[in-house]
């Protein structure tokens, strides 16, 4: 018997002991999440069915709203009432914030038995663990510095994928001249911030780190930040009049239907294109936001587990184990548009955008150009993120000038610290 087989058997035995065998009637997970768009719901279904096949039933607690702000509000109410759901979709610093309050569960037994430490990148573990304990099971890695372009609109605009800011602007100008909305966008603070993530990164990886992660006042208020806001102002000129409040998936639909040329959005957008039957390379094209190739701003959806009664703990552990199964990681992420949270999952089942996503993530991790997304709670805690959202959105809506925005940003961050 090989060492590998023995290890596998030992892990299996440990898990059986841990979960006292197969699920029994009554093993149920109540899951709070915000995956309500077509593509997101299809991905969630992969998880639901996987758990059902293992005898764990699913009670759905969806709270619509991209980026999860409304879901986090709903969560707060449940935890305050002393009745948290079994598992909660959560991002980055939100997980840490809950852990600090001492209300989260402990997945360490299953995580240690299955060797998660060796296969989940440190950048993710930083949020999945607190005080040495595993408190959340990462299901994917998304990234925010992507552009999703209609192939037809790109061909009509000359067919060349833009490599830098000037070429991007030239492409958008041609799309405008061709009579379509160049940039599909939904005016919600988290979406404005998603654009901002990419724009800041395009001005340099050092700049992203110093401004969005280290919160250096000079970087936040300086000339480069002014350039970032100048670019945001330019992007605003390519958005249609009805952008305010639009959901992100409706913006994706504009590109899918050929009404708009491109969308700057995380790779959950790919889930919408796939759901609509579109194929990468044929119907749509995925590129890194011009000027950001080689770097990645990531966010990872994790299922954070709260302290629950003993009757529910087994189901929690079963869910966590199911999520980290390499086969599940592949099946789920192929549909979701994200890439696996484990480094040992083959890319064979993924389409070209997925393969590119996996290669880009590995490259950025290697080069030290992998950064947490500010827009999606992986660069700074929610209090600072919200302060940034406010300035970015006011500027995007024309309520704050480009000249004043950098100083406002620095001041808002200082006040929130
Ligand atoms: C992100 C989340 C993604 C996707 C997106 C839009 O914050 O990580 O999984 O759901 O919001 O809802």
């Amino acid at each position: 018997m090989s060492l590998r087989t023995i290890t596998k058997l030992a892990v299996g035995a440990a898990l059986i002991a841990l979960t006292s065998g197969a699920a029994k009637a009554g093993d149920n997970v109540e899951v709070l999440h915000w995956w309500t768009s077509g593509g997101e719901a299809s991905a969630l279904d992969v998880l639901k069915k996987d758990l059902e096949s293992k005898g764990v039933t699913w009670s759905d607690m969806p709270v619509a709203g991209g980026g999860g702000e409304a879901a986090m509000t709903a969560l707060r109410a449940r935890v305050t009432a002393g009745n948290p759901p079994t598992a909660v979709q959560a991002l980055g610093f939100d997980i840490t914030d809950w852990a600090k309050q001492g209300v989260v569960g402990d997945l360490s037994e299953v995580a240690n038995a299955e060797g998660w430490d060796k296969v989940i990148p440190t950048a993710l573990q930083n949020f999945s663990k607190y005080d040495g304990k595993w408190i959340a099971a990462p299901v994917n890695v998304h990234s925010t510095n992507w552009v999703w372009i209609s192939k037809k609109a790109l061909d009509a605009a000359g067919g060349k994928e833009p490599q830098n800011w000037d070429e991007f602007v030239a492409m958008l100008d041609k799309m405008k001249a061709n009579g379509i909305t160049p940039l599909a966008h939904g005016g919600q603070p988290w979406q404005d911030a998603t654009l901002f993530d990419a724009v800041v990164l395009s001005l340099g990886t050092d700049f992203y780190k110093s401004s969005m992660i280290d919160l250096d006042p000079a970087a936040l208020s300086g000339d480069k930040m002014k350039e970032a806001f100048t670019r945001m102002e330019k992007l605003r000129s390519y958005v249609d009049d009805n952008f305010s409040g639009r959901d992100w998936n409706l913006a994706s639909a504009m590109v899918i239907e050929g009404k708009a040329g491109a969308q700057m959005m995380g790779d959950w957008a790919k889930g919408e294109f796939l759901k609509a039957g579109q194929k990468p390379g044929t119907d749509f094209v995925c590129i890194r936001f011009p000027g950001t190739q080689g770097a990645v701003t990531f966010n990872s959806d994790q299922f954070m587990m709260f302290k629950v009664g003993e009757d529910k703990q087994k189901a929690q552990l079963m869910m966590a184990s199911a999520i980290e199964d390499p086969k599940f990681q592949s099946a789920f992420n192929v549909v979701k548009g994200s890439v696996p949270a484990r480094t040992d999952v083959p890319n064979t089942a993924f389409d070209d955008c997925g393969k590119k996503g996996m290669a880009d993530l590995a490259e950025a991790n290697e080069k030290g150009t992998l950064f947490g997304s500010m827009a999606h709670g992986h660069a700074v805690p929610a209090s600072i993120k919200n302060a940034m959202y406010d300035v970015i959105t006011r500027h995007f809506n024309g309520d704050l000038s480009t000249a004043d925005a950098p100083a406002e940003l620095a001041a808002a961050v200082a006040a929130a610290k």
Side-chain angles (χ1 to χ4, degrees):
M1 208 184 285
S2 73
L3 185 62
R4 209 162 155 210
T5 320
I6 295 172
T7 317
K8 267 194 179 166
L9 286 175
V11 167
L15 256 183
I16 288 170
L18 192 72
T19 58
S20 47
K24 53 177 190 317
D27 280 326
N28 169 270
V29 282
E30 189 200 4
V31 186
L32 192 160
H33 64 89
W34 65 90
W35 284 337
T36 55
S37 79
E40 290 174 329
S42 296
L44 193 71
D45 220 41
V46 178
L47 178 57
K48 265 188 215 170
K49 294 222 165 83
D50 186 86
L51 288 174
E52 273 161 20
S53 77
K54 296 178 168 115
V56 179
T57 55
W58 181 280
S59 301
D60 209 29
M61 190 181 171
V63 182
E69 225 174 320
M72 288 303 105
T73 306
L75 174 62
R76 221 164 293 129
R78 286 285 300 264
V79 181
T80 310
N83 177 30
T86 326
V88 178
Q89 178 193 356
L91 298 172
F93 280 92
D94 289 342
I95 304 175
T96 315
D97 282 348
W98 281 113
K100 281 184 184 156
Q101 299 191 29
V103 288
V104 294
D106 186 359
L107 304 172
S108 301
E109 280 180 80
V110 79
N112 294 338
E114 294 182 351
W116 293 6
D117 260 317
K118 288 183 235 75
V119 288
I120 293 173
T122 319
L124 267 54
Q125 285 191 36
N126 289 341
F127 300 110
S128 329
K129 284 168 100 171
Y130 185 76
D131 236 356
K133 286 186 195 146
W134 284 87
I135 55 170
V139 66
N140 64 13
V141 186
H142 272 300
S143 53
T144 57
N145 55 318
W146 289 103
V147 189
W148 307 91
I149 313 176
S150 146
K151 178 79 168 71
K152 199 170 150 218
L154 179 66
D155 288 344
K160 187 177 180 307
E161 293 173 11
Q163 305 294 319
N164 55 40
W165 172 253
D166 290 342
E167 289 180 13
F168 188 53
V169 166
M171 179 193 82
L172 295 172
D173 280 337
K174 283 194 193 122
M175 288 174 169
K176 197 178 217 170
N178 290 342
I180 56 170
T181 297
L183 199 60
H185 181 63
Q188 295 172 346
W190 75 270
Q191 293 190 60
D192 302 341
T194 300
L195 266 54
F196 194 72
D197 256 359
V199 166
V200 171
L201 188 66
S202 74
L203 292 167
T205 51
D206 288 347
F207 178 56
Y208 188 88
K209 184 171 180 298
S210 58
S211 61
M212 298 293 104
I213 294 180
D214 300 340
L215 304 176
D216 172 8
L220 286 166
S221 63
D223 285 349
K224 265 211 170 157
M225 194 52 82
K226 187 159 171 236
E227 177 60 20
F229 281 107
T230 304
R231 289 187 178 189
M232 289 295 285
E233 193 180 336
K234 184 75 180 162
L235 291 176
R236 170 73 173 78
S237 73
Y238 295 113
V239 164
D240 67 323
D241 288 343
N242 298 320
F243 80 104
S244 263
R246 176 187 287 138
D247 287 330
W248 68 272
N249 53 313
L250 300 182
S252 305
M254 290 167 69
V255 181
I256 291 167
E257 289 160 13
K259 292 181 186 146
Q263 181 184 23
M264 291 170 61
M265 188 45 61
D267 37 17
W268 46 91
K270 193 183 81 177
E272 297 305 301
F273 286 86
L274 299 182
K275 178 86 187 164
Q278 297 212 335
K279 296 212 165 28
T282 314
D283 305 303
F284 68 95
V285 172
C286 56
I287 59 165
R288 288 292 172 183
F289 183 67
T292 70
Q293 184 62 49
V296 166
T297 37
F298 82 96
N299 57 304
S300 164
D301 292 300
Q302 309 214 14
F303 283 96
M304 171 176 48
M305 306 291 176
F306 279 81
K307 269 187 195 150
V308 288
E310 253 173 52
D311 54 323
K312 291 185 188 158
Q313 283 169 14
K314 192 176 114 194
Q316 273 187 334
L317 296 177
M318 290 188 76
M319 180 173 174
S321 173
I323 287 173
E324 298 313 327
D325 180 319
K327 284 206 184 75
F328 167 77
Q329 287 269 332
S330 179
F332 175 88
N333 287 302
V334 158
V335 179
K336 183 69 168 74
S338 37
V339 305
R342 298 175 62 114
T343 51
D344 61 346
V345 178
N347 72 0
T348 31
F350 288 80
D351 61 30
D352 287 349
C353 296
K355 286 193 169 78
K356 176 172 167 50
M358 287 171 84
D360 288 352
L361 180 69
E363 182 194 343
N365 195 22
E366 179 90 353
K367 288 200 326 206
T369 53
L370 174 63
F371 303 107
S373 152
M374 181 280 292
H376 294 267
H378 282 69
V380 285
S383 50
I384 299 174
K385 176 190 83 175
N386 290 332
M388 291 207 198
Y389 275 15
D390 178 58
V391 175
I392 294 162
T393 289
R394 274 197 288 138
H395 173 265
F396 201 73
N397 287 291
D399 298 332
L400 177 65
S401 74
T402 294
D404 291 342
E408 285 273 326
L409 186 66
V413 167
K417 261 188 189 170

